[in-house]
Structure formats: C-alpha cells, structure tokens
C-alpha cells in the first residue's frame, strides 16, 4: 500500500513505523505536520491509500480526514482520550496500559478503533515507557491496522463506553498543579511518580534556593538522609540528592524556567547565552551548591543498592557486564573519561567475555550536545568530548585479553551507532533503531567510524548509510553485516538469551582460537593502516566542522546543535523523508499555489 506518515516530529516511534512498514514492502512517504497546508500538499502529491499518524499533536485538517482513512496512534487504552495519557497512567499507578489505533474524526481520540495492544507498566519515566513499551505496542497496532485495512473486510469498532473492555476515559491536560511536589508531605514513592510522569517533558516545576526549575531524571537513594525535606544533601556526577520525609531522591537534570524568553529579559540579558534547556543539575546550580558534599561512588560500582549510578558492573560465569546508562545516551567528556576508567578496570577482571551493555533507553548517542552548547567555548568542548569518546572506542578495539560484545538494548545514534562496532560481536534487540550518520548535525564524525563501518558493511554501504540520514532497522542491519545477532524484544527473554549466549562463548572450546584470531586480525589491520591514522583523518574533518566549516556544504554544526538542543522545529520536512516531494517537482510547484482542495 501507499502509506503516508504524518507526524509532529520524526521521533523514535515514527522512525520505527517507517522502518517496519518499509520492511513489509509498503511504499512510505513522511510529512511533518508543520502546517495544515503541508499536510494537504503531501496528501495531494502522494495520493496515499492510508494515512498513519504515529505521533501527532496537531489536528488533521477536516478535508483530509473526511476523505482519507487517517489512523491516529494514541498512547492509551481503549476509551482513553486526551493529550496527557501516559502522564495520568504513571501518576495513577496503572498496572496495565496500552496503545490504540483509531480513526481521526472531529472529536479528539473518539474515532473507530482499528487495533489495540496492551502492556504491563513498570516504574520508569514517561519517555522510557514511551520508547520501550509504547513503541513496541504501537508497532504491533500499526502493523495489525495495515493488515486489517488491506483485508478490506475488517469492520472497526466504534468507541462505546458501555462495553466492559472500554476502561479508559477522557482526561484533561495534566497541569503543573497536578505535578507539584509538596516536599513536607509527599513520600519518595509519590515524588518518583510525579517526576516520572513529566519526564522527558514538561518536567516538574519546583523551587530550589528561590529559583524555579523543571526537574528530570529521578532515582531513589537508599542510604543518604537529610533533616529538611527538599534540601540538597549531596551531589554526584552532575546530579543532586534531595531529602524527602521518608528517604531521599536524586535529580539528575534541571531546566531553568524560561522567564528569559520574555522581551524584557531578552533585552536585559542582551547577547548573553540562555541556558534554558536540560542540563546536569550541578551545572545549572553551579555556585548555589555551596559546600554541599560530593557523594563518591566506586569507578566500577558492583553493588546492588538504590542510588544514582551511571556506570556499574556485574559478572557471572566468566562473563562481565559493564553498564553505562547515561541520560539520553549522551556522553559528555567527563562521562567518557569515567567510562574509560571503568572499562580498564573491567578488562582486568578475571572474565573471558566482556559485555558492553550501554543504557536502558539508548546504548549511546555520541557526544553530549547540551553540555557542549552550554559550555563557554563550544568548539573547544566539542574537541575535548570527541577525543574522550574516541579514547573509549580505541580502548575497546585494542582489547586483547577478552572477547567483547556490544549488547544493544536501547537505540543508538551518530557516534554511538559507530562506537558499538568497536566490540568483537554486536547483538541487538529486535526493535532497536540505529541512526548511523552525523550529517544532520553537520559533522563528518569520528569514533573510528571510517575503520569500523566499512570493515563490517563494505565501503559502498558505509557511504550510503552515512550520506542518507535514515534510520536503520535490525533486519536490514543484520542482512548487511552491521550486526551479528538479533535478540528478542521482551526484556526478560532478551537478558536470558544474552546471558546464555555470552556464557556459551566464554565456555566455548574455540575460545582461545577466537582470541588469537582477533589479535592477529587487529595486528594485520594495524599494519595496513594504523588506528591513529584513521583518527587523525577523522579529527581533521571534525576540526573544520568545529571551526564552523560546513560538512557537505549544507549544515553548519553550531547551528544544527543549537536547533537540536533548543528543539527548534525544521521549516520543512527533509527531502529524504518526504518521498512525495521527489515524485513530481513540477506538480509540486503548481501545488505551492494556495490550495483549492
Ligand atoms: N546530546 C544531548 N542530548 C541528546 C543527544 C546528544 N548527543 N542525543 C539525544 N539527545 C536527547 C534529545 O535531546 C532528547 O532529549 P529530551 O527528550 O530529554 O528532551 C532525548 O535525548 C531523546 O532524543 P530524541 O531525538 O527525542 O530521540 P529519537 O529517538 O527521536 O532520535 C537520535 C534519536 C539519535 C536520531 C537523535 O536523538 C539524534 O539525532 N541525536 C543526536 C546525535 C548526534 O548528532 N550526536 C552527536 C554526534 S556524535
């Protein structure tokens, strides 16, 4: 079928829908819902059999939904309606939640139901549940809907609140008053839920030292305590620990309330940099932290206690598992340095196989663009950051005493999608999406990608992947040799298979032969062209990008980074997504005239 995806942004779910439907042989084009006329134009040019909206905040124009079947993917159970579905589900402690694919009609989320899928809720932030459970359920519902539309015999179910399985209801937008933390009254469990429900957006508005900030990234603390609820009692690796009436919590990120956007403040601040985006909490509070003590943690943390930790390690049956769960997969300079220290310690452990686990939501998304943007000297910080990440990658590539595996449960983008190739084996969860390109950020890229990627997929595919910034699904990734194994999508099964396969590798009678083979291979490669030469050549390009020189003549890194960090919407849908724009430019130019639909 010809399917048009209409989305507010090309987010993870839209990328997954794109990859899945494309993989099923459908003809896909995408338009961002930047204006009603953009949507109308895309429909007129592409003439779709079906429209699917994986993530849509805007209304579809009536003249579109009344003439075409438009499926809205709503992150709620049957009967749930409104823009804060997941927020309420988390806040109300729902045990089960779901996704519903319904037809667009005049009333929001009230159309006929084409498919639903449910899942068990788990403690976690809204963004994390969206990326994992919602995306998985939505993909099922989308594929089922497409099959049902294709069958031409399926009759969708009208929304009927008298049906026993219609458990949802119309809910209002969740406001800051609903999210507000009362530190004198709320227990840890309530604070966790409130912050999770607003994370990654809009955050919970709170006051610290008389200033207003949005809170993000909450973790329970098991040991530290303080007398004054809400008071900051410790800090660690960018996060702050705050006392609660029955324990304490870590808050990893803050965003300053955006008063500076008012014309008055803009004039007052002049050209001064506005740090009104999410940053590590201690970076935002800076001097306000005073003499609050740091709470140190082992570089290779091996305990099980409740606390905030980005890097930790466990081992079992000759296999070591190194976790590095950096917020949003962004790896700043200091984080890379800590990871390098931890990696070196892990390599010294008496295990035969070392598994690089990455984080729960992302394996890695490369250098930390927010920290770079906030720094006094972004080109210098970019340089420090890329070198720090390169050091980690080099250490993995040159590990001689162990077999290494990248175990990719969360997604990976840009440098992260290249860094994972440094391991000897790459095993990935079925539903993961890679974005193995730097171009949209105006970068040539480093992380030894010019060595690692062509080695796996060949030079032609490497160029194709990096030049056209499209997401890559795992079926295709395996077919082209980017990855070695696809593991199941469900967490328990994924972990069971990962452990079983890693232990089998460690216990393999071939182990010594494989290790010898790896060393010889590396020596051969080093002789052909040293790693340092790849790095130097990549960094030469990066230096130019950091100096503001465009890569490929299109995108300026500093502008692209600014837009990314400040979440500036693009002015138009990128041509590599909007296939309809490529179909008939002449017709497109005709249609640029005001539309008489
Ligand atoms: N630095 C800082 N923050 C990053 C980041 C990075 N490298 N990569 C992702 N993030 C943040 C996003 O700002 C977003 O933050 P928020 O939702 O908490 O506000 C969050 O991570 C999720 O990213 P999002 O873009 O919404 O996820 P996605 O699944 O739609 O897209 C990517 C994934 C990887 C395509 C996209 O995040 C991306 O392009 N990241 C930048 C990669 C990059 O250029 N890295 C630098 C070069 S090595």
């Amino acid at each position: 079928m010809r399917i048009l995806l209409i989305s507010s942004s090309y987010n993870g779910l839209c990328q997954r829908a794109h990859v899945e439907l494309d993989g099923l042989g459908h003809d896909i084009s995408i338009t961002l819902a930047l204006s009603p006329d953009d949507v109308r134009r895309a429909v007129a040019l592409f003439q779709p059999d079906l429209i699917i909206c994986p993530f849509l905040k805007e209304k579809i124009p009536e003249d579109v939904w009344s003439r075409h079947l438009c499926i809205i993917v709503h992150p709620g159970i049957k009967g749930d309606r409104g823009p804060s579905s997941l927020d309420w589900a988390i806040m109300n402690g729902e045990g089960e939640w779901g996704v519903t694919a319904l037809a667009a009609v005049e009333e929001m989320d009230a159309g006929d139901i084409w498919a639903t899928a449910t899942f068990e809720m788990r403690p976690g932030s809204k963004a994390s549940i969206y990326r994992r459970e919602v995306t998985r359920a939505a993909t099922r519902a989308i594929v089922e809907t497409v099959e049902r539309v294709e069958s031409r015999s399926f009759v969708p179910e009208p929304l009927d609140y008298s049906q026993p399985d219609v458990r949802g209801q119309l809910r209002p937008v969740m406001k800051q008053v609903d999210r507000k933390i009362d530190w004198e009254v709320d227990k840890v469990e309530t604070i966790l839920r409130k912050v999770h429900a607003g994370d990654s957006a809009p955050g919970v508005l709170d006051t610290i030292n008389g200033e207003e900030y949005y809170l993000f990234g909450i973790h329970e603390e098991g040991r530290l305590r303080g007398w004054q609820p809400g008071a900051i009692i410790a800090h660690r690796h960018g996060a702050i620990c705050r006392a609660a009436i029955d324990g304490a919590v870590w808050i990893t990120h803050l965003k300053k309330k955006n008063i500076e956007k008012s014309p008055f403040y803009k004039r007052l601040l002049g050209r001064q940099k506005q740090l009104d985006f999410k940053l590590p909490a201690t970076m935002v509070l800076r001097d306000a932290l005073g003499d609050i003590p740091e709470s140190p943690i082992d570089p290779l943390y091996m305990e099980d206690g409740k606390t905030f930790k980005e890097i930790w390690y466990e081992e079992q049956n000759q296999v070591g598992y190194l976790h590095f769960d950096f917020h949003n997969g962004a790896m700043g300079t200091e984080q890379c340095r800590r990871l390098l220290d931890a990696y070196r310690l892990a390599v010294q452990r008496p295990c035969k196989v070392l598994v690089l686990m990455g984080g729960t939501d992302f394996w890695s998304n490369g250098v930390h663009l927010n920290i770079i943007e906030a720094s006094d000297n972004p080109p210098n910080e970019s340089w420090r950051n890329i070198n720090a990440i390169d050091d980690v990658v080099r250490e993995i590539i040159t590990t001689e005493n162990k077999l290494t595996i990248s175990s990719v449960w969360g997604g990976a983008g840009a440098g992260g999608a290249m860094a994972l190739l440094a391991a000897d084996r790459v095993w990935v969860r079925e539903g993961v999406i890679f974005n193995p390109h730097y171009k949209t950020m105006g970068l040539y890229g480093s992380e030894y990608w010019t060595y690692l990627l062509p080695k796996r997929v060949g030079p032609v595919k490497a160029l194709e992947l990096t030049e056209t910034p499209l997401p890559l699904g795992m079926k295709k990734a395996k077919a082209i040799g980017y990855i070695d194994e696809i593991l199941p999508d469900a967490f328990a099964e994924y972990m069971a298979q990962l452990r079983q396969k890693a232990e089998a590798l460690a216990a393999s009678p071939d182990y010594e032969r494989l290790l010898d083979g790896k060393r010889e291979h590396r020596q051969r490669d080093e002789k052909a062209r040293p790693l340092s030469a790849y790095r130097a050549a990549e960094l030469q390009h990066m230096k130019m990008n950091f100096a503001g020189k465009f890569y490929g003549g299109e995108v300026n890194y500093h502008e692209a980074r600014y837009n990314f960090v400040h979440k500036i919407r693009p002015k138009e849908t990128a041509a590599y997504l909007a296939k309809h724009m490529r179909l008939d430019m002449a017709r497109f130019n005709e249609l640029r005239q005001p539309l008489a639909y």
Side-chain angles (χ1 to χ4, degrees), residues 11-12 15 131 200 278 328 330 362 365-370 413-415 435 438 441 443 447 564 567:
N11 74 344
Q15 293 169 25
R131 281 178 200 129
S200 66
K278 221 175 275 179
N328 284 339
F362 293 102
N365 280 329
V367 296
H368 202 310
L369 298 167
N370 291 37
N435 276 282
Y438 303 84
M441 204 50 68
L443 292 172
E447 289 94 2
F564 181 83
K567 303 200 182 300

Side-chain angles (χ1 to χ4, degrees), residues 314-326:
E314 40 172 337
E315 60 187 30
Q316 204 176 15
N317 300 332
Q318 302 275 11
V319 181
Y321 301 86
L322 182 64
H323 300 258
F324 41 101
D325 197 359
F326 298 120

Side-chain angles (χ1 to χ4, degrees), residues 147-195:
E147 285 166 4
R148 288 175 170 174
V149 173
E150 269 181 320
S151 79
R152 293 173 185 272
S153 58
F154 181 79
V155 182
E157 177 190 330
L159 177 59
D160 176 0
Y161 282 105
S162 68
Q163 295 299 316
D165 68 331
V166 180
R167 293 186 294 115
Q169 54 179 285
L170 174 62
R171 291 193 185 275
V173 180
M174 189 178 280
K175 303 215 176 76
Q176 281 300 337
V177 287
D178 304 311
R179 304 182 190 272
K180 190 164 177 51
I181 296 170
D182 184 342
W183 290 93
E184 302 289 340
V185 173
D186 287 344
K187 295 189 166 172
V188 165
E189 197 259 333
T190 309
I191 300 169
L192 286 170
R193 252 190 297 135
K194 285 184 172 174
V195 177

